[in-house]
Amino acid sequence: MSDLAHNDVSRRALLKGGLMALATGPILAACGVNTSGSGGKGSVNFLSTQFSPVEERQKYEATLKKFSGDTSVAYNPVDTGVFNTTLKSQLSAGKVEVGMVGGLHGDLVPFASQLEDLSSLMNDLSSAGYSDDLKELAKLGTDVPRYIPWIQATYVLAINKKALEWLPSGADVNKLTYDQYLAWAEAAKAANGRPVFGIPAGPKGLHHRFYQGFLLPSFTGGQITTFRNADAVTAWTYMRDLWANTNPASTNYDFMQEPLGNGEVLVAWDHVARLITAVKDKPDDWQMVPAPSGPKGKGYLLIVGGMAVPQGSPEKDKAFELIRALSKPEAQIETLKSNAFFPVVKTNIGGDLPGGTALEAKAVKAQQEASDALLALPPVGLGDKDPQVSQLFKNCFQEICLNNADVKATLDRQGAELAKIMDTLNVPCWAPDPKATPCKVA
Amino acid sequence: MTLLFGWPMVSGILQAFGGPEGLTTANFTRMTQDPYFWSSVGNTLLLIVVMIPIQFVLALAMALLIRAKPRGASAYFYIWAIPLAVSDLAAGLVWLTVFTDRGYLNSLLASLGIDPVSWLAYDNYASMFGAVLIAEVWRATSLVFVIVVAGLQSIPKDYEEAAGVFGANSWNRLWHVTLPLLRPSLQTALILRTILAFQTFAVALALTGQNFPLVVGETYRWYTGLQDPNVASALALVVMAVSMVTAVGYLKLLRDQSEAPR
């Protein structure tokens, strides 16, 4: 190093390097390295928990550019943890720099009382055709709308058509039961010499949503109240059998599109946005179908995201404008085409969807409109306890499927933890549990 | 300075015992009842017990090689010190490209006609542990190496030469002259390395996700993922207590008997 310092050429090179670093700093910040939410004067800082993978983010930024008009928007997608700390610290310091926020229903719940009342905006948008469920959710448990619905999504099955040959005889792939699904996984495993079904059970995978919104409602008709009853024991015993026929590498899968894309897995359940890359290039090789049905119906989870404005937002008016723009049917359809999240407003999706998205749209519609459909929501009103509640469902999977623990004992133990959390929260139940106050584990 | 170090520690301890209704041990109960806790403790201890001896043997061998001044000794030094500059997470990600199902190692095996192995699958504990061990040895041995090299440099050559004159072979010189003189450096390296080993997690996180939990990884998960700073502090307190006990243990164990009061 001392040799370098005495060398003129190297010193010049060092200087040049320093200047380069100074010059690239702002560029890096503009690329989103900055998570504080600042995007320059006059632009709306849009802090969001959605579309964080680079590709999704770029696509959504293009959508924003197309519909934001004169308003410049700095889109900052971050992890839920960062989202919470950023917003919490800015709100409690009384120095809000975030112009508007976007997140899933559960992400916004902890901030309900600190978000602007959006009644006027909701009135302006009354013709958009939000469903009553969505309007109620948007109040976040208060009397007035705190967010405007933004995106919705759900989870479906993606099937490589190769796997159809092992479908049990008499089974309709669009109306599977959980028993048929298991039989299919067994047959496919036997034929391939290895399991070819998968679930996203990696550290960032959303497999807990499978138990919360699909498996348990289908077997028990509930999510929280029925957590440890006899039906839940049946459901988790089923899950153990299914896991025995599921690719064990699933515990490393965060997004199912990767193992589906490279052929490690032929049939997978996941979030529509996490399946799209696998199916979009060769839609003819794929089929997407609703999740299976159980004894209590076809449990399915609806994910709702909303746009909100934190109180004290420096760009409140522009944020309102932006929310109006993003609520237009065209913007909503663009989001579906680019990011595979479905519109929340009444709109005709039309027939010009890209192949993969068209497959998804068909499956989503079939799932929602199934005669035995049983709507479930991700936990509502749990605030910062939300991740812990989801973790309890993951713990059940860990114990029952991976550690081979006793089903009843595991449910009792995890159920006791859940009961403790629900007792301290004292919140009403959400679908599919009966809307009772307070929500308790039976 | 005391405030700078003391305040976070005190607030951490208070947080570990904090609850909605004053002081409580509920956070510790919650911690020990978590299905990942005991496996994370077991994994961390196993990793330390296996890894530290390997690292010390390797680092000593490398340092002695450097001391023998082979051609290009300084080049070796710099190359062996490179992992010091690599962040743990980056190192983990690099090794992930080696061990993942379609990584370099399996590609190599496939080209040799051998069936690929799921090295990082949850039901393949031995290979998962092996992968974390290799990555962590690769990443962290250089720290011990640098300390040992510095220690070796402070030992005058005269002692060894004198031993040589009295007919001691190279093994005896190493065992009876060099190693005892190296004791302070080894002690420092051992304490530092063990404490840092308790803090290992990014490598394991990148390689195995939740399949091979380690205590500090659990702290991170409780803090960011599960949003419970109290249980996270309880876990951090465990790491701190174990680190302190280990450091004191090493200091006692490796105390130079010749300096003890007679």
Side-chain angles (χ1 to χ4, degrees):
Chain A
M1 195 66 200
S2 58
D3 286 346
L4 277 177
H6 290 294
N7 186 323
D8 271 343
V9 180
S10 298
R11 197 183 305 156
R12 211 175 299 147
L14 276 174
L15 263 174
K16 213 195 263 177
L19 281 175
M20 282 287 282
L22 276 177
T24 48
I27 298 174
L28 284 177
C31 287
V33 175
N34 170 357
T35 53
S36 69
S38 83
K41 215 172 155 50
S43 68
V44 179
N45 297 313
F46 188 172
L47 189 70
S48 160
T49 58
Q50 298 301 297
F51 313 128
S52 4
V54 176
E55 209 184 325
E56 285 186 25
R57 175 197 179 140
Q58 284 171 343
K59 285 179 186 164
Y60 198 67
E61 278 173 340
T63 306
L64 279 172
K65 209 166 181 185
K66 204 163 160 185
F67 292 95
S68 61
D70 298 334
T71 318
S72 83
V73 186
Y75 188 67
N76 288 306
V78 291
D79 275 351
T80 313
V82 179
F83 180 85
N84 276 333
T85 7
T86 308
L87 207 53
K88 211 183 280 175
S89 58
Q90 292 192 5
L91 283 166
S92 57
K95 190 172 181 297
V96 178
E97 287 180 357
V98 172
M100 72 181 256
V101 293
L104 298 185
H105 178 86
D107 299 333
L108 300 174
V109 169
F111 302 101
S113 62
Q114 289 166 300
L115 298 172
E116 289 281 354
D117 171 4
L118 300 182
S119 303
S120 63
L121 210 48
M122 195 58 124
N123 281 338
D124 295 352
L125 295 168
S126 58
S127 59
Y130 299 110
S131 72
D132 290 341
D133 282 345
L134 286 183
K135 278 191 208 162
E136 188 56 36
L137 283 173
K139 291 182 182 168
L140 290 172
T142 65
D143 299 334
V144 293
R146 299 288 176 174
Y147 69 74
I148 298 295
W150 177 28
I151 44 177
Q152 62 173 327
T154 184
Y155 300 72
V156 291
L157 294 175
I159 298 162
N160 188 321
K161 283 186 181 167
K162 271 186 237 162
L164 289 173
E165 63 171 293
W166 306 298
L167 197 67
S169 61
D172 176 355
V173 74
N174 283 299
K175 289 179 182 161
L176 287 171
T177 65
Y178 273 101
D179 288 338
Q180 288 169 338
Y181 189 64
L182 176 61
W184 186 16
E186 283 168 350
K189 180 184 174 182
N192 283 278
R194 65 180 180 92
V196 290
F197 278 44
I199 54 164
K204 285 191 180 167
L206 295 170
H207 61 125
H208 50 288
R209 299 296 191 214
F210 179 67
Y211 322 127
Q212 290 172 326
F214 291 82
L215 180 78
L216 292 175
S218 301
F219 277 83
T220 68
Q223 187 183 114
I224 299 293
T225 55
T226 53
F227 186 87
R228 52 184 167 187
N229 71 7
D231 288 339
V233 175
T234 315
W236 280 104
T237 310
Y238 169 88
M239 187 61 212
R240 176 184 278 169
D241 295 341
L242 184 64
W243 176 250
N245 294 284
T246 301
N247 191 332
S250 288
T251 53
N252 294 331
Y253 299 151
D254 287 339
F255 292 47
M256 288 315 294
Q257 54 202 9
E258 286 142 20
L260 281 170
N262 63 30
E264 278 177 50
V265 164
L266 298 178
V267 178
W269 168 98
D270 205 349
H271 191 288
V272 284
R274 294 177 165 197
L275 291 171
I276 188 70
T277 311
V279 302
K280 71 176 182 193
D281 290 336
K282 288 184 184 160
D284 292 343
D285 293 353
W286 297 90
Q287 192 161 0
M288 297 186 93
V289 300
S293 304
K296 296 280 161 70
K298 189 190 289 297
Y300 79 97
L301 194 74
L302 183 68
I303 302 287
V304 187
M307 301 174 277
V309 182
Q311 286 168 8
S313 156
E315 302 290 348
K316 188 178 155 185
D317 296 340
K318 282 184 184 171
F320 274 42
E321 268 318 298
L322 189 59
I323 291 177
R324 257 188 215 108
L326 292 175
S327 304
K328 284 187 185 139
E330 309 88 72
Q332 295 264 313
I333 289 175
E334 182 73 23
T335 311
L336 171 62
K337 284 180 183 167
S338 58
N339 290 69
F341 269 88
F342 288 81
V344 280
V345 299
K346 205 177 237 169
T347 166
N348 182 15
I349 293 176
D352 64 334
L353 288 177
T357 315
L359 282 180
E360 286 192 347
K362 207 171 133 215
V364 170
K365 194 161 180 272
Q367 185 161 279
Q368 256 165 359
E369 292 174 359
S371 55
D372 58 346
L374 183 61
L375 170 75
L377 287 177
V380 174
L382 304 190
D384 58 2
K385 292 282 183 245
D386 189 305
Q388 288 186 36
V389 168
S390 293
Q391 182 63 44
L392 294 177
F393 289 88
K394 289 193 226 173
N395 286 352
C396 291
F397 167 74
Q398 170 81 21
E399 295 277 89
I400 293 166
C401 298
L402 305 187
N403 300 349
N404 223 4
D406 180 67
V407 177
K408 181 87 179 67
T410 305
L411 290 183
D412 283 344
R413 211 165 37 242
Q414 302 299 325
E417 256 342 300
L418 180 63
K420 240 187 265 173
I421 295 178
M422 296 313 294
D423 285 348
T424 54
L425 287 170
N426 207 9
V427 290
C429 279
W430 54 92
D433 283 311
K435 205 173 176 181
T437 309
C439 194
K440 280 193 183 300
V441 182
Chain B
M1 214 54 180
T2 314
L3 203 67
L4 198 65
F5 287 106
W7 173 242
M9 203 168 93
V10 170
S11 73
I13 293 172
L14 286 178
Q15 199 163 37
F17 289 100
E21 288 128 22
L23 294 182
T24 167
T25 53
N27 301 320
F28 289 89
T29 320
R30 190 80 206 279
M31 172 184 86
T32 50
Q33 279 173 355
D34 190 70
Y36 292 93
F37 176 71
W38 289 109
S39 60
S40 73
V41 171
N43 289 339
T44 309
L45 291 178
L46 182 68
L47 191 67
I48 287 174
V49 169
V50 179
M51 176 172 65
I52 302 272
I54 297 180
Q55 288 189 322
F56 272 75
V57 171
L58 272 178
L60 258 177
M62 281 150 63
L64 289 171
L65 271 176
I66 292 276
R67 200 164 79 129
K69 293 225 166 33
R71 201 201 298 231
S74 56
Y76 284 125
F77 179 83
Y78 282 114
I79 290 172
W80 285 337
I82 284 176
L84 264 186
V86 179
S87 86
D88 350 6
L89 189 59
L93 291 173
V94 168
W95 283 97
L96 181 65
T97 62
V98 175
F99 289 114
T100 187
D101 281 1
R102 283 166 192 249
Y104 292 118
L105 186 55
N106 276 344
S107 307
L108 182 73
L109 290 182
S111 68
L112 296 174
I114 304 169
D115 277 342
V117 180
S118 263
W119 302 102
L120 303 173
Y122 81 97
D123 51 355
N124 218 345
Y125 185 84
S127 70
M128 206 161 61
F129 175 73
V132 173
L133 181 70
I134 291 172
E136 195 51 20
V137 164
W138 177 85
R139 189 190 70 79
T141 304
S142 48
L143 177 71
V144 185
F145 164 68
V146 169
I147 297 175
V148 174
V149 167
L152 276 180
Q153 278 173 352
S154 67
I155 302 174
K157 281 255 176 188
D158 312 11
Y159 290 109
E160 275 205 58
E161 280 165 11
V165 169
F166 285 107
N169 62 21
S170 48
W171 174 252
N172 278 331
R173 285 203 304 258
L174 171 68
W175 197 249
H176 294 292
V177 180
T178 313
L179 281 184
L181 288 169
L182 207 52
R183 191 200 307 266
S185 310
L186 289 178
Q187 198 175 20
T188 313
L190 200 56
I191 292 173
L192 259 181
R193 198 43 225 132
T194 311
I195 291 176
L196 288 176
F198 276 117
Q199 296 172 14
T200 307
F201 93 104
V203 165
L205 188 75
L207 278 174
T208 64
Q210 199 61 38
N211 292 342
F212 189 82
L214 294 173
V215 182
V216 174
E218 287 303 287
T219 313
Y220 172 74
R221 189 171 68 94
W222 274 98
Y223 191 82
T224 57
L226 302 181
Q227 304 261 325
D228 194 326
N230 299 90
V231 179
S233 300
L235 277 156
L237 205 60
V238 170
V239 176
M240 190 180 83
V242 176
S243 302
M244 282 167 93
V245 169
T246 318
V248 171
Y250 278 151
L251 286 172
K252 286 217 155 138
L253 204 70
L254 291 178
R255 187 189 292 153
D256 192 345
Q257 298 301 327
S258 60
E259 284 173 18
R262 293 164 203 224

